[in-house]
Amino acid sequence: MVAPAAVAVYRVLTVKHTADGRVFAAVDGGMSDNPRPALYGARYAVRLVGRASTAAEREVDVVGRHCEAGDVLVRSARLPADLRPGDLLAVPAAGAYQLSMASGYNLVGRPAVAAVRGGRARLLIRRESVEDFRAREVGR
């Protein structure tokens, strides 16, 4: 993949509202599958996919699952106020370096890659599993 390619799709795990009015949406990925925001300050757009919402938009920080201060995928994203766990968020043009820079940080496997054409998806690379990490161990 080269240039502004691919769309990263994340599932919202939790939505946190803080006392000072900030909203955080933690997703099932983060700096392990896309370290560019943390390393270089790369900026992405994000949008809700998979369901329609008529709720007003509000600022939401989309953060990763790694519990690191720098694990922020998109700061101040404009997303529906009714964002909830299970929702899907799409990050367009995130794929040029995403897969090549992905790591097994905190033993979170690298994501799957699928090609989509004409409304049909085809798996190109399966999601990395804990079993894949275990298979590399030699000191048993």
Side-chain angles (χ1 to χ4, degrees), residues 61-134:
D61 287 338
V62 179
V63 300
R65 64 186 284 183
H66 300 291
C67 297
E68 300 286 353
D71 192 13
V72 178
L73 291 168
V74 182
R75 290 192 192 280
S76 302
R78 301 295 301 173
L79 290 168
D82 66 350
L83 190 68
R84 58 186 180 248
D87 280 343
L88 297 177
L89 299 178
V91 180
Y97 299 103
Q98 188 168 356
L99 186 63
S100 64
M101 294 179 77
S103 71
Y105 185 80
N106 280 355
L107 289 180
V108 172
R110 288 174 287 202
V113 176
V116 180
R117 183 167 91 185
R120 297 183 66 131
R122 182 171 55 103
L123 188 64
L124 300 177
I125 300 172
R126 69 171 170 78
R127 180 182 304 273
E128 196 170 34
S129 68
V130 173
E131 289 75 28
D132 292 323
F133 287 108
R134 288 186 181 140

Side-chain angles (χ1 to χ4, degrees), residues 15-102:
V15 178
K16 178 180 179 180
H17 299 264
T18 66
D20 64 357
R22 294 183 69 191
V23 179
F24 296 89
V27 298
D28 63 350
M31 62 191 296
S32 63
D33 63 85
N34 191 350
R36 294 189 71 243
L39 293 175
Y40 314 126
R43 303 181 91 180
Y44 293 106
V46 62
R47 62 182 40 108
L48 176 68
V49 295
R51 77 169 174 94
S53 174
T54 58
E57 289 185 343
R58 67 173 307 154
E59 281 192 1
V60 177
D61 287 338
V62 179
V63 300
R65 64 186 284 183
H66 300 291
C67 297
E68 300 286 353
D71 192 13
V72 178
L73 291 168
V74 182
R75 290 192 192 280
S76 302
R78 301 295 301 173
L79 290 168
D82 66 350
L83 190 68
R84 58 186 180 248
D87 280 343
L88 297 177
L89 299 178
V91 180
Y97 299 103
Q98 188 168 356
L99 186 63
S100 64
M101 294 179 77

